[in-house]
Amino acid sequence: MKILTLIAGVLALLLLLLSGPLYQAEILGLMNAFLAMRIALIVGAVAIVLALIQVIFMRKTLSWSATGVAVICAAVAIVIPLSMMNKAKSVPPIHDISTDLVNPPKFVAILPLRADAPNPAEYQGEEIAKQQRAAYPELQTQKYQQTRDQVFDAALVAVNTMGLELVNSDKSSGLIEAFDTTTFFGFVDDVVIRIQSDGQMTLLDARSKSRIGKSDIGKNAERLNGLIAGINTHLN
């Protein structure tokens, strides 16, 4: 049974670790990649049960090293999918986040890159705005005393610091466009920053939208919060 336990634990971990790369390599579709993660969780749970049976009933023949490796592999295969599921349940199933919910910044240079994206570039309006207000009330238009050029330069530095892929930087129109690629699944999220003068204040709005998927599991809001924090740091 110790060999079976070890195989189950290692298999669970491999299923988890390969689900993302196999999706990126277009060997698995998105639904099958998610299915692989769920199977990894189940196989991991089986490995844990087998390990417990050995610890309780088969101590004399127990290999602590093999069982330990199996449990560690299985635990990783269980914890990561569960954490993702719990995070998905804790945030609204939306994928388009903006600091301006009435007149969100529009993608311009990025539009050709989204031509084949399942999620349209257009903002879907009050249906998602209401959900965002409840989940991310902190994401609002940012107001600065600094000049438009100073805020633009700080935003550009923040974009580069975060490792976003710059697509367009137009100081005359106050627009910065970039995209971010997630590490594991390689999902692409697009970002647009709009900087405008309003009397003696400079207004900054930012928007982050996924090209694929219904829920972003909070990633776009997290990105905008990080971007705003980076801009504030560079301006202080």
Side-chain angles (χ1 to χ4, degrees):
M1 184 176 283
K2 60 184 178 183
I3 299 299
L4 181 60
T5 304
L6 182 59
I7 290 174
V10 172
L11 178 60
L13 183 59
L14 285 176
L15 281 170
L16 173 67
L17 295 180
L18 290 175
S19 58
L22 288 177
Y23 168 73
Q24 291 194 51
E26 299 183 352
I27 296 173
L28 288 180
L30 185 57
M31 291 300 102
N32 285 332
F34 287 155
L35 177 61
M37 294 185 71
R38 295 189 186 97
I39 294 174
L41 191 156
I42 294 171
V43 175
V46 170
I48 295 292
V49 171
L50 292 175
L52 287 174
I53 291 173
Q54 290 183 79
V55 170
I56 296 172
F57 300 107
M58 307 170 65
R59 287 195 177 186
K60 291 183 179 181
T61 59
L62 179 66
S63 172
W64 288 102
S65 59
T67 303
V69 170
V71 168
I72 292 172
C73 291
V76 173
I78 292 172
V79 170
I80 293 179
L82 280 181
S83 64
M84 291 178 64
M85 292 177 189
N86 289 333
K87 183 67 181 293
K89 292 178 181 178
S90 68
V91 297
I94 56 179
H95 56 262
D96 191 353
I97 305 297
S98 173
T99 57
D100 186 343
L101 300 176
V102 177
N103 181 30
K106 295 180 180 179
F107 298 110
V108 181
I110 263 174
L111 283 179
L113 302 180
R114 294 188 64 99
D116 298 324
N119 293 334
E122 294 77 16
Y123 191 69
Q124 301 303 300
E126 187 59 27
E127 178 184 351
I128 62 172
K130 182 179 179 180
Q131 298 179 70
Q132 182 186 316
R133 290 190 193 99
Y136 314 113
E138 76 282 1
L139 287 174
Q140 300 179 6
T141 299
Q142 302 298 298
K143 301 179 180 180
Y144 299 100
Q145 297 289 344
Q146 289 88 344
T147 67
R148 183 169 173 265
D149 284 355
Q150 288 174 318
V151 175
F152 186 95
D153 291 340
L156 194 56
V157 171
V159 165
N160 291 326
T161 300
M162 291 178 67
L164 305 186
E165 189 73 27
L166 187 65
V167 175
N168 181 46
S169 172
D170 188 348
K171 185 174 285 189
S172 62
S173 63
L175 284 179
I176 298 173
E177 294 178 83
F179 64 85
D180 191 16
T181 304
T182 62
T183 302
F184 190 63
F185 277 108
F187 295 141
V188 179
D189 300 335
D190 295 313
V191 177
V192 56
I193 303 169
R194 182 182 65 204
I195 301 162
Q196 301 173 308
S197 294
D198 181 27
Q200 295 182 339
M201 302 291 292
T202 298
L203 307 182
L204 180 145
D205 283 295
R207 180 183 173 197
S208 183
K209 179 165 187 170
S210 304
R211 293 187 190 179
I212 188 172
K214 182 178 179 181
S215 174
D216 62 9
I217 318 183
K219 184 62 178 179
N220 286 302
E222 178 184 316
R223 183 179 295 108
L224 290 191
N225 277 316
L227 179 65
I228 291 169
I231 293 169
N232 293 340
T233 297
H234 293 302
L235 286 173
N236 291 335

